[in-house]
Amino acid sequence: MFHSVIEARLRLAVAAVVPTANLTVVQVRPATESRFGEFQSNSLMSIARSLGINPRQLAADIVARLELGDICAPVEIAGPGFLNFRLLPAALVGLVTDALAGQHLFFEPTARSKSIVIDFSSPNVAKPMHVGHIRSTGIGDALQRLWRLLGHRVVTDNHIGDWGTQFGKLLVGWKTLLDRVALEADPIAEMERLYREVNTRCDADPLCLDVARRELVLLQAGDPENLSIWQEMIRLSQVQFDTIYGRLGVRFDVVLGESFYNSELAGVVGSLLSAGVARESEGAVAVFSDGKLAPKEDPFLIHKEGEWVDIPALIRKSDGGFNYMTTDLATLVHRLKTWNPDEIIYVVDDRQSAHFKSLFLVFERWQPEAANGVILRHIGFGKILGDDGKPFKTRSGDTVKLGDLLNEAEERTLKVVAEKRPDLSLSEQKEIARVVGIGAVKWQDLLPNRQSDYVFSWDKMLALQGNTAPYLQYQYTRASKVVRDAGDRDADQGVVLTEAAELALVRHLMNFGFTLQAAAEECRPNYLCNYLYELASHFSRFYEACPVLKVEEPARSSRIGLCELAARVLKLGLNTLGIEVTDRM
Ligand code: ARG
């Protein structure tokens, strides 16, 4: 791709002029405004600054060494030392010709393939998946698709919450209150009811709490009856998860729930104690601040009544039970041992950011060498809000179940499709409603900066105009329809790019690879959303300004080719976000 060619040659020229320069800071980006050409680099100014020399002079020396005559017009030095790169028309034509010949689709796989573990979705057993799960599931899935598309080796791991104190209460409920008929009809709802009822009883009656604790201890000790009930609860929950993942088109390489690490936990605590990272405190075992961070940055400290006090990370409770943190430490060790990843990415709600900060710090203190060899990243996200600015709930104030939400998305879309396309059969209408409805929910969730909260809105997400999945899917159907209607394109007719709208479309197509890479590296699928929205808009403007089927050759074949490339990039881009397309809408 031109972007990487220009960057590589610029680095060569910089190295020739300033042999000591740090070449990784030499970067080329898509131009912010098309009147400056296709690409720009602002990197020479910082090099000049660090050397204490005149940036314009440095730029002139470097440009004199820069060999880009085969693809660019003479490089322009602007302002205090920006470089502007303008591609030769023939270079753009060549790029499109190669894409049409199937040599590339405006991106290239990475030269340095990394191995990456992505922990996402990770719902809890015996509870319904709710609207919030769309966040971790959708963002995580988009990231794994992005990294894979670029040629990285990815392992996706669903860290299901299948262990913990809630099972004590669930076991009491199962043994004393279970309604088999209700369980048959809706297992998750029944398990939820059991938990709720026992929970209320325990609040009022300490004896109930004791019974629940005893059931939990029995389970942890491997009591066969409790184990088999617990397994049944997991199995029933997994059916629910799988149904939803099936609808969302999400799959995992491995599903290793918290219970998988159970046998490792005592060893983790022992090792942390003997390494001097953890210590006993009031019968529990915990990790305290080591005082190396500024108090404000230190997750093991909290500011209370004018002073900093400890909030240690618990790894063993006084009753001998283990914590979320302990399991996460064991999980981390297992992942390093099993996949030796370069990076582990945790796609989890921002409310857990202190947990992950502590987790990474504890691990660093415990196994500094291993911690050095891996990048650990918590990829957090904000909340979904209702119209009232409070967390999104049903009208009666309950959490919104994800399954119900997806049903509603499909139903609402079906109404629109039935109105607009009465010519289609009901099953065809339903298929379109599925693709568009689910796509709309995902798009709404992926579009904002992931750390911001957003307001859930059916009207906004299902609109055919604006930055929505339906709009993009519709532009895809237009582009792919032209290609179908055109029949075979005459590949011997050369590519011609003369109209402004054609050039704008091609320039935007060219930035696909840059966008994919930035979205993957920063774990920000919204970069790709915005890119695709702009692509759809460029395509739409091109399609309105330039006749395709009714124009003379070679423009006819050339424009059919542009429609084809726009359709392919739109489809691949949407698929990379986990969103399907359909040929008709
Ligand atoms: N099950 C947890 C929850 O629902 C999320 C787990 C995230 N992954 C992890 N390795 N801690 O809050």
Side-chain angles (χ1 to χ4, degrees), residues 239-257:
V239 171
Q240 175 215 201
F241 301 154
D242 288 343
T243 310
I244 291 199
Y245 294 142
R247 294 181 73 179
L248 293 175
V250 172
R251 44 167 295 276
F252 296 89
D253 297 308
V254 289
V255 181
L256 296 177

Side-chain angles (χ1 to χ4, degrees), residues 31 33-39 84-87 507:
E33 279 179 61
S34 62
R35 63 196 167 98
F36 298 136
E38 281 78 18
F39 300 103
N84 291 331
F85 304 91
R86 201 178 296 275
L87 289 174
R507 288 197 174 108

Side-chain angles (χ1 to χ4, degrees), residues 119 122-124 159 161 258 324 328 335 346 348 352 355-356:
D119 174 328
S122 308
N124 296 326
H159 190 71
E258 294 180 20
Y324 186 46
D328 254 327
R335 288 175 177 162
Y346 299 81
V348 187
Q352 294 194 26
H355 166 73
F356 285 103

Side-chain angles (χ1 to χ4, degrees), residues 215-522:
E215 293 293 356
L216 183 68
V217 171
L218 276 173
L219 172 68
Q220 288 169 339
D223 172 76
E225 186 190 0
N226 281 10
L227 268 183
S228 89
I229 296 174
W230 169 71
Q231 275 157 355
E232 182 63 5
M233 292 193 267
I234 294 182
R235 193 190 62 76
L236 291 169
S237 305
Q238 194 62 52
V239 171
Q240 175 215 201
F241 301 154
D242 288 343
T243 310
I244 291 199
Y245 294 142
R247 294 181 73 179
L248 293 175
V250 172
R251 44 167 295 276
F252 296 89
D253 297 308
V254 289
V255 181
L256 296 177
E258 294 180 20
S259 67
F260 177 79
Y261 303 97
N262 205 17
S263 59
E264 305 295 320
L265 304 181
V268 166
V269 173
S271 167
L272 281 156
L273 278 170
S274 58
V277 175
R279 63 177 153 89
E280 279 187 44
S281 162
E282 296 166 35
V285 178
V287 180
F288 289 79
S289 168
D290 63 357
K292 289 195 179 145
L293 286 174
K296 262 194 185 151
E297 308 289 316
D298 193 328
F300 306 103
L301 293 178
I302 188 167
H303 202 64
K304 251 194 201 156
E305 290 161 12
E307 57 177 341
W308 291 99
V309 293
D310 288 316
I311 35 161
L314 288 183
I315 55 170
R316 196 176 71 201
K317 293 181 239 179
S318 48
D319 67 5
F322 299 103
N323 302 72
Y324 186 46
M325 176 65 77
T326 330
T327 304
D328 254 327
L329 286 163
T331 307
L332 182 41
V333 170
H334 176 82
R335 288 175 177 162
L336 292 179
K337 197 174 69 194
T338 313
W339 298 295
N340 188 26
D342 299 297
E343 277 187 34
I344 303 177
I345 294 175
Y346 299 81
V347 186
V348 187
D349 196 325
D350 258 336
R351 279 173 291 193
Q352 294 194 26
S353 61
H355 166 73
F356 285 103
K357 204 168 173 193
S358 307
L359 171 67
F360 302 163
L361 283 170
V362 172
F363 187 67
E364 223 174 276
R365 279 158 65 182
W366 180 31
Q367 303 194 19
E369 211 164 294
N372 232 335
V374 64
I375 296 171
L376 303 175
R377 299 168 80 182
H378 170 218
I379 297 304
F381 49 80
K383 297 187 283 293
I384 306 179
L385 306 175
D387 285 336
D388 54 1
K390 300 205 185 98
F392 184 51
K393 292 267 160 72
T394 63
R395 235 171 259 145
S396 54
D398 294 323
T399 48
V400 180
K401 296 188 179 134
L402 187 46
D404 293 346
L405 186 95
L406 299 180
N407 290 343
E408 186 166 349
E410 292 187 27
E411 281 156 20
R412 282 177 182 256
T413 314
L414 183 60
K415 275 200 197 118
V416 181
V417 178
E419 239 169 65
K420 298 220 161 174
R421 298 296 308 262
D423 54 314
L424 300 178
S425 73
L426 182 61
S427 71
E428 289 169 316
Q429 291 174 345
K430 278 190 169 167
E431 174 58 9
I432 295 174
R434 183 188 68 78
V435 170
V436 175
I438 306 259
V441 172
K442 288 190 180 186
W443 183 269
Q444 166 175 262
D445 195 70
L446 292 170
L447 178 63
N449 170 347
R450 60 179 156 73
Q451 280 137 318
S452 353
D453 299 341
Y454 72 85
V455 174
F456 189 96
S457 161
W458 287 116
D459 292 340
K460 237 187 177 169
M461 83 167 97
L462 292 174
L464 261 172
Q465 290 300 326
N467 195 337
T468 65
Y471 172 72
L472 274 102
Q473 288 167 321
Y474 176 62
Q475 295 305 333
Y476 168 79
T477 62
R478 285 173 95 190
S480 66
K481 183 169 185 328
V482 183
V483 178
R484 269 199 317 278
D485 289 351
D488 273 346
R489 174 175 55 81
D490 182 354
D492 291 337
Q493 303 283 347
V495 170
V496 277
L497 304 172
T498 47
E499 300 302 311
E502 290 173 319
L503 282 163
L505 175 61
V506 169
R507 288 197 174 108
H508 194 71
L509 283 169
M510 189 168 64
N511 291 336
F512 186 42
F514 186 84
T515 307
L516 290 173
Q517 207 175 318
E521 270 164 22
E522 295 180 43

